[in-house]
Amino acid sequence: MKEFFIKINKSDLNKKAEIISNEIEEYHNEVIVTGDIRIENKDNIVDLENCNKDISDKDLVLKLYLKYGKQFVEIITGAFAIVIHDRREQILLLFRDNFGQKNIYFTDQNDCFHVSSSIKGIFENSSVPKEMNIERVIDFIAHTHSPSSETFFKNIYNLGPAKTLELCESNIEINSYVPEVNYTAKDVKEIFFEAIDATKDENFGCMLSGGLDSSSISIASQILNKEPLNVFSIVFPQSKSANRNSADEEEYSTEVAHSYDMKHEKITVTDFNFIENIKKNIEYYDEPYMATNTYIYEKVFEQAQKKGIKVILDGTDGDSVISHGTEIFRYYGETFQIKKLLHEKKAYDYLHNRKFSVLKTILSFVIKPKLPKFLLRLYKRIRNQDFFVYQNNLLHKNFKKDLTDLYSSVDEIHEIDQSFNNFSEKAHYQMVYKSHWHEVFNILNTIGGKYGIEVRYPFFYQGLVDFCIKTPVHKKIKNGVTRYYFREGLKKILPKKIYQRQSKSDLSPLFLKHFMKLDENYVEKVFFNKNSPVYNLINQRSVKKLLDSKNPNKNLSIIYTFFSLYEWMKKNDFYVDIVK
């Protein structure tokens, strides 16, 4: 990760900004470009603009800005957090990539504007006070994400994905931008290989779980690579089972690696202490986090570092970008194509070992979508199935949101304020753009940075995303086979075992095993000791009921969230008072 920090006097934007970076910075004609920048459509731009092919990403941004102004950001795609100080125009500009693969934080205090690639960078290079933002903490427990750009620290903000910020004459203006969409006549295989080629590097490896997404990335990378590719797989020997929910995917990853003569690193995991891992890793995170499978990445990055690898390609989250196509069920239901609905749902249930029910299918995809949202939410509450209400009830009454506020926040977080031709288009768009992948990227990038690894996400290559979203829903699933168009497009290069695979491994057994047998002393210290920083924040009775449950399907992730929050508050000497 390329770290940077910028400090500028708001009332004197003609003066050079103070810049601290792990790269050399130089002003050029009164304009400077800095940040963490990787342009994935660079080759196309270089050809169109007649640039030197060896031009750096930063110099290319400068060239484009000088020619097109702020609109240059609509031309580039990739992973970037860009800062431009234009002394000629006396403005400071910030730009973040469309999916939030790179971070950019800012704060406006005491006539000074601070920008950094991390919150830590702001505190280390300024006198900005460190204060907890209790509203963000409440959001974290009630619904994980925040409807605002606020961080867990007061007055420090995260510029959102596909956002620009302009500081001019002491005024701050934040706007959204939309990258140019260049729909292509290329087929899915061609555009996928283009995505791999744009994200791979000279010294890189791949995560290989054995699923369709990671297998496709590894295979395409090996085909494009001159030397045998380093691929890394986690294996769970104690989880080998005929059970379809087995966590171990060794047979699939081995099939892929063997078929293409890859250098296959199998990393065995038999046990893992998640609490100790949270305690250790909270030092690397600016904010509390909720990610129960990060141990997988940490094991891989540790091994990759030993191999001298600097870049890892990861399949997060290919499922959402490609789409399983199950949104077609509701599409058929809302358009009353009942025969097609029943045929496709029955075929899907058969392939996924589920019991098919005509009545449940009709209720779920024909009747329920016609009901008002408030009735559906009431129904969920009566059946204790409203996840957000459940989480909200874990808060102390002084901090718990009322239902109106809770649902308003949830709608703001997940809903899209634009029109679509049908539900399937909206659902696919929401999966890609409203699932808060930028928070996932931040977690994985932080772990990668710990081991000197840059993580890249080929499925979030803009051209591939545009192609997948534009693909009609009937091509995404066929006779119950999900991600159909993608499977067919890569059929000739996929091993038969991967091409035909419909199952998805369950990575929770190890997590479940540990969290069903928690250290009672630690639990007492976190939740029930009055000196705990979170004690006054929570409803002890509701939390105890959760902890005492023997149901393996209980919400373990929220327990993980509390542990992360507890360790983060301890680290920063924060404490919640009973009065809000």
Side-chain angles (χ1 to χ4, degrees):
M1 183 175 75
K2 297 174 183 175
E3 299 176 2
F4 58 87
F5 169 80
I6 295 94
K7 176 182 177 181
I8 194 165
N9 191 312
K10 289 169 54 184
S11 59
D12 191 5
L13 292 172
N14 186 43
K15 186 178 179 181
K16 285 187 178 182
E18 176 188 331
I19 297 176
I20 300 173
S21 173
N22 54 5
E23 287 195 341
I24 298 173
E25 308 293 346
E26 293 180 0
Y27 275 85
H28 174 80
N29 294 330
E30 302 300 301
V31 178
I32 189 171
V33 175
T34 190
D36 191 354
I37 309 168
R38 180 167 55 81
I39 302 176
E40 292 178 348
N41 62 339
K42 182 176 177 180
D43 290 345
N44 293 337
I45 296 174
V46 165
D47 289 342
L48 290 171
E49 299 294 331
N50 295 316
C51 300
N52 187 317
K53 293 188 180 296
D54 295 327
I55 190 172
S56 69
D57 288 352
K58 190 181 297 184
D59 286 342
L60 181 57
V61 166
L62 175 61
K63 183 179 178 68
L64 293 174
Y65 171 73
L66 294 174
K67 182 175 181 180
Y68 298 105
K70 294 178 291 186
Q71 282 67 41
F72 85 90
V73 74
E74 299 173 9
I75 300 171
I76 66 172
T77 62
F80 54 80
I82 301 172
V83 183
I84 298 178
H85 181 205
D86 189 338
R87 295 171 66 197
R88 306 166 311 169
E89 302 293 332
Q90 298 189 48
I91 56 174
L92 185 76
L93 300 165
L94 312 183
F95 305 87
R96 192 176 182 193
D97 68 80
N98 200 29
F99 302 109
Q101 296 178 72
K102 300 292 185 181
N103 269 332
I104 188 163
Y105 297 93
F106 64 92
T107 184
D108 174 21
Q109 298 188 40
N110 302 324
D111 199 39
C112 283
F113 191 77
H114 305 85
V115 184
S116 181
S117 52
S118 66
I119 297 174
K120 177 181 173 183
I122 291 176
F123 291 132
E124 287 183 345
N125 297 292
S126 74
S127 59
V128 172
K130 186 184 289 187
E131 299 178 75
M132 184 174 69
N133 180 1
I134 187 63
E135 298 301 328
R136 180 64 186 95
V137 171
I138 292 169
D139 286 348
F140 187 52
I141 295 170
H143 38 68
T144 307
H145 311 294
S146 173
S148 75
S149 61
E150 296 180 4
T151 69
F152 285 79
F153 296 91
K154 278 186 181 179
N155 302 316
I156 295 181
Y157 302 88
N158 192 349
L159 187 66
K163 297 286 187 183
T164 67
L165 180 149
E166 179 175 345
L167 171 63
C168 182
E169 296 180 348
S170 293
N171 295 317
I172 297 172
E173 183 177 329
I174 298 176
N175 292 300
S176 299
Y177 72 88
V178 179
E180 289 183 354
V181 178
N182 297 312
Y183 291 124
T184 175
K186 298 173 183 175
D187 60 30
V188 67
K189 179 182 175 183
E190 190 175 358
I191 195 71
F192 180 69
F193 270 71
E194 186 178 290
I196 300 299
D197 195 40
T199 49
K200 71 180 181 65
D201 213 313
E202 291 181 0
N203 186 15
F204 80 108
C206 296
M207 299 272 287
L208 175 60
S209 69
L212 178 62
D213 301 336
S214 67
S215 297
S216 300
I217 289 175
S218 298
I219 291 169
S221 296
Q222 182 60 82
I223 291 172
L224 292 172
N225 207 37
K226 295 178 181 178
E227 302 294 331
L229 180 72
N230 286 284
V231 293
F232 301 88
S233 303
I234 299 291
V235 295
F236 302 90
Q238 295 179 351
S239 298
K240 289 184 184 293
S241 167
N243 188 317
R244 64 184 174 87
N245 290 323
S246 169
D248 193 78
E249 297 182 284
E250 185 175 1
E251 64 170 302
Y252 298 103
S253 61
T254 299
E255 180 77 11
V256 172
H258 178 72
S259 297
Y260 283 88
D261 295 322
M262 300 173 185
K263 293 181 180 178
H264 194 194
E265 287 280 338
K266 297 181 182 180
I267 304 163
T268 301
V269 176
T270 56
D271 195 14
F272 197 76
N273 191 314
F274 290 89
I275 293 175
E276 291 304 315
N277 187 251
I278 292 172
K279 290 179 180 179
K280 181 177 66 175
N281 279 341
I282 202 67
E283 294 302 317
Y284 294 90
Y285 288 96
D286 288 332
E287 302 177 282
Y289 62 98
M290 197 272 284
T292 58
N293 67 341
T294 52
Y295 69 97
I296 292 174
Y297 290 89
E298 186 154 12
K299 293 287 187 182
V300 167
F301 296 157
E302 184 178 17
Q303 190 62 25
Q305 183 188 48
K306 292 177 182 177
K307 295 284 184 181
I309 288 171
K310 300 296 184 183
V311 172
I312 288 286
L313 302 193
D314 176 50
T316 301
D317 187 65
D319 293 45
S320 297
V321 174
I322 298 169
S323 172
H324 287 266
T326 52
E327 58 268 26
I328 203 171
F329 302 147
R330 182 163 163 180
Y331 169 71
Y332 282 151
E334 290 186 345
T335 55
F336 293 102
Q337 299 182 65
I338 307 302
K339 187 176 179 180
K340 288 183 177 180
L341 168 63
L342 296 178
H343 168 79
E344 198 63 68
K345 184 63 166 61
K346 185 177 182 180
Y348 175 84
D349 286 346
Y350 174 77
L351 287 176
H352 292 81
N353 298 309
R354 298 180 180 181
K355 185 178 179 180
F356 172 70
S357 167
V358 172
L359 180 59
K360 284 185 177 180
T361 301
I362 298 295
L363 283 172
S364 297
F365 302 108
V366 180
I367 297 176
K368 275 188 179 180
K370 302 297 181 184
L371 297 177
K373 185 182 287 186
F374 79 90
L375 281 181
L376 290 172
R377 284 175 167 168
L378 176 61
Y379 175 77
K380 281 187 173 182
R381 291 201 300 274
I382 291 172
R383 292 176 60 87
N384 293 318
Q385 293 178 344
D386 193 313
F387 180 72
F388 298 114
V389 169
Y390 175 81
Q391 289 194 180
N392 191 44
N393 287 338
L394 296 173
L395 286 160
H396 186 279
K397 63 180 180 180
N398 288 38
F399 300 101
K400 189 166 71 170
K401 293 188 172 187
D402 62 49
L403 285 180
T404 300
D405 186 21
L406 178 68
Y407 286 136
S408 174
S409 294
V410 170
D411 286 341
E412 191 172 348
I413 289 167
H414 297 286
E415 285 299 317
I416 298 172
D417 186 22
Q418 64 186 77
S419 60
F420 295 86
N421 293 322
N422 53 59
F423 171 79
S424 63
E425 288 185 4
K426 178 181 179 180
H428 194 173
Y429 190 92
Q430 279 180 308
M431 283 190 288
V432 175
Y433 287 101
K434 297 294 283 186
S435 294
H436 298 269
W437 297 120
H438 60 284
E439 295 178 8
V440 176
F441 297 146
N442 183 32
I443 292 169
L444 299 185
N445 292 342
T446 300
I447 300 172
K450 177 181 174 182
Y451 295 95
I453 302 290
E454 181 185 357
V455 194
R456 298 183 183 177
Y457 313 95
F459 279 104
F460 285 85
Y461 177 71
Q462 189 68 57
L464 180 61
V465 171
D466 293 338
F467 181 95
C468 292
I469 287 180
K470 184 175 179 285
T471 300
V473 67
H474 66 270
K475 292 185 177 181
K476 296 169 185 172
I477 186 170
K478 185 174 182 180
N479 294 326
V481 177
T482 60
R483 296 180 280 182
Y484 182 77
Y485 71 104
F486 189 77
R487 290 178 194 274
E488 292 302 306
L490 275 66
K491 182 177 180 178
K492 291 182 179 180
I493 65 171
L494 291 173
K496 186 176 181 181
K497 184 177 287 189
I498 305 300
Y499 167 74
Q500 294 181 336
R501 186 182 182 191
Q502 290 293 318
S503 64
K504 187 176 178 66
S505 74
D506 180 4
L507 296 178
S508 66
L510 193 61
F511 177 78
L512 178 64
K513 175 185 174 184
H514 183 81
F515 267 73
M516 290 302 286
K517 297 180 180 179
L518 291 170
D519 180 342
E520 293 182 4
N521 292 329
Y522 185 73
V523 169
E524 178 71 24
K525 188 188 300 183
V526 173
F527 297 109
F528 306 112
N529 187 316
K530 291 185 178 181
N531 293 320
S532 166
V534 303
Y535 182 83
N536 290 327
L537 181 67
I538 63 175
N539 180 326
Q540 272 77 25
R541 181 178 296 178
S542 297
V543 170
K544 189 175 189 308
K545 185 178 179 181
L546 168 63
L547 292 167
D548 289 344
S549 173
K550 302 302 180 183
N551 181 0
N553 293 319
K554 68 182 178 181
N555 191 351
L556 298 174
S557 62
I558 192 65
I559 298 175
Y560 189 101
T561 296
F562 277 121
F563 290 161
S564 173
L565 179 63
Y566 169 81
E567 294 295 339
W568 174 79
M569 291 177 69
K570 267 182 40 179
K571 166 189 168 182
N572 291 286
D573 295 322
F574 290 149
Y575 186 84
V576 174
D577 292 323
I578 197 64
V579 179
K580 181 185 175 185

